[in-house]
Amino acid sequence: MTDETPDAHPLVMTPQDFSAANDWPGYFGAVLGKPPRDTLLAALAAFEHEGVAAGLAVDLAAGEGRDTLALLERGWRVVATDAEPAAFEYLWPRVPAAAHDRLTATVARFDDTALPPCDLVNASFALPFCAPQYLPALWARIVAAIRPGGRFAGQFFGDRDSWASRADRTHHTHDDVLALLAGFDIEMLRVEERDDPPDVREPKHWHLFHVVARKR
Ligand SMILES: C[S@@+](CC[C@H](N)C(=O)[O-])C[C@H]1O[C@@H](n2cnc3c(N)ncnc32)[C@H](O)[C@@H]1O
């Protein structure tokens, strides 16, 4: 289950409400201190299972840094990107001093994000917020950046999600996701589909794909 609608109450703004409004500073405050995403943890477990040492990860649209902090904690070097400068105001104070030299935090939009060659691209709840016209080029840069044997971890939103009608969001069918992952061995492709309880402010239908994939 995603944690975007925890402890719903019609008067309480949830992360879902902030992301619906593209209010990213509000979102960062609402999710501050939450644990790393399951897709990231699964990718890291797969590297550890292979005996692969911590390498370089790009945390795309890293937000306030829940995943970046987990990567740094495990010895990874991280390039964290986000369009919203406030993301890094939340992140930097929580980075241990000993890890500062392993983090590069860059303000960049999806359409102008440069990705260095890396072992992992982590895109937790990120790509759905890329406008559709920029997604193909961004995905091409993601695939090109990941070394063979490296991994992609993250979420896509599905075509049956309530937000699929929004012009500023990118949604995919199951077949679309399979096509994007054509050059990868899929290690996780978990479909989450559910309705919000009726007592949240703006109940929606969620349709998500949780993905971990290893580049061939
Ligand atoms: C739902 S949050 C996810 C943040 C974090 N990865 C996580 O798992 O909590 C979406 C993120 O996308 C970022 N974002 C929104 N539009 C963007 C754009 N055009 N380019 C880059 N980042 C963007 C937001 O600032 C926000 O940090």
Side-chain angles (χ1 to χ4, degrees):
M1 292 274 284
T2 171
D3 64 6
E4 304 300 285
T5 55
D7 306 324
H9 183 285
L11 297 180
V12 176
M13 291 283 279
T14 64
Q16 168 179 336
D17 296 316
F18 290 112
S19 56
N22 291 333
D23 176 354
W24 299 118
Y27 181 89
F28 304 149
V31 300
L32 196 63
K34 289 199 175 288
R37 303 286 187 180
D38 289 346
T39 38
L40 173 64
L41 293 178
L44 293 177
F47 282 118
E48 282 162 24
H49 184 71
E50 290 170 337
V52 174
L56 176 66
V58 176
D59 192 6
L60 193 68
E64 40 59 67
R66 61 201 292 173
D67 287 351
T68 291
L69 291 171
L71 284 158
L72 292 170
E73 195 177 306
R74 289 159 177 77
W76 285 69
R77 289 174 293 123
V78 183
V79 174
T81 70
D82 204 283
E84 178 53 68
F88 303 131
E89 293 167 19
Y90 280 95
L91 172 59
W92 274 116
R94 294 182 294 140
V95 177
H100 273 213
D101 63 352
R102 287 188 284 112
L103 174 60
T104 304
T106 305
V107 175
R109 295 187 318 271
F110 291 126
D111 53 299
D112 68 3
T113 302
L115 288 92
C118 61
D119 303 287
L120 170 66
V121 172
N122 183 62
S124 292
F125 288 83
L127 298 179
F129 300 98
C130 177
Q133 66 268 33
Y134 301 126
L135 196 283
L138 175 61
W139 182 252
R141 294 200 299 281
I142 289 171
V143 174
I146 301 171
R147 68 163 173 81
R151 286 183 169 80
F152 170 83
Q155 281 70 28
F156 297 95
F157 281 6
D159 56 314
R160 292 191 293 276
D161 193 280
S162 298
W163 288 341
S165 58
R166 289 182 55 149
D168 61 339
R169 303 282 164 93
T170 299
H171 290 249
H172 294 91
T173 66
H174 194 274
D175 283 349
D176 290 339
V177 174
L178 293 179
L180 289 172
L181 298 172
F184 292 75
D185 293 322
I186 297 172
E187 298 176 318
M188 176 198 295
L189 177 47
R190 187 166 62 79
V191 182
E192 178 180 346
E193 188 156 11
R194 63 181 173 82
D195 289 308
D196 277 329
D199 59 345
V200 304
R201 290 166 67 97
E202 302 277 351
K204 72 179 283 277
H205 184 72
W206 290 89
H207 182 206
L208 304 102
F209 303 101
H210 301 272
V211 172
V212 179
R214 184 178 191 273
K215 190 174 168 188
R216 285 190 211 104

